[in-house]
């Protein structure tokens, strides 16, 4: 099931990745507050959320690098 999420996330656009990451960050903060204030049913959920946020950050960074590399190669091609 986790592999399906990874494959689905790779097909998302940049804006969709950022929106999904921001949504997960909000949910993670809510879960943290809930853990401090009361009992949480699944404490391992925090770790999985953190890892998913990190995975989304990696995908976002990869897309940023791809855009940057395309811009640089276009700039170099324009000079020649």
């Amino acid at each position: 099931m986790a592999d399906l999420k990874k494959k689905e996330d790779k097909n998302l656009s940049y804006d969709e990745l950022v929106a999904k990451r921001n949504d997960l960050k909000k949910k993670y903060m809510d879960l943290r507050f809930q853990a401090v204030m009361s009992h949480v049913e699944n404490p391992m959920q925090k770790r999985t959320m953190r890892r998913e946020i990190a995975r989304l950050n990696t995908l976002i960074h990869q897309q940023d690098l791809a855009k940057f590399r395309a811009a640089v190669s276009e700039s170099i091609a324009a000079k020649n």
Side-chain angles (χ1 to χ4, degrees):
M1 184 161 148
D3 291 335
L4 289 175
K5 277 188 179 179
K6 290 178 187 179
K7 289 179 183 177
E8 290 173 1
D9 288 345
K10 285 184 180 182
N11 296 330
L12 294 176
S13 71
Y14 182 82
D15 294 331
E16 292 171 332
L17 286 171
V18 171
K20 188 170 182 178
R21 180 193 60 186
N22 291 340
D23 184 46
L24 271 175
K25 279 185 173 184
K26 285 182 185 178
K27 288 181 183 178
Y28 177 71
M29 292 303 289
D30 291 341
L31 187 65
R32 282 185 58 201
F33 290 134
Q34 185 181 2
V36 169
M37 301 302 279
S38 64
H39 177 72
V40 177
E41 286 185 28
N42 185 4
M44 296 299 288
Q45 189 178 10
K46 278 176 50 178
R47 180 169 66 176
T48 57
M49 282 182 138
R50 267 196 330 266
R51 289 181 178 176
E52 192 169 344
I53 291 168
R55 188 172 44 76
L56 290 172
N57 281 334
T58 300
L59 292 172
I60 290 168
H61 184 67
Q62 287 174 347
Q63 287 190 8
D64 281 340
L65 287 177
K67 287 179 187 176
F68 177 73
R69 287 182 183 136
V72 168
S73 63
E74 188 176 296
S75 173
I76 291 172
K79 287 183 180 180
N80 293 331

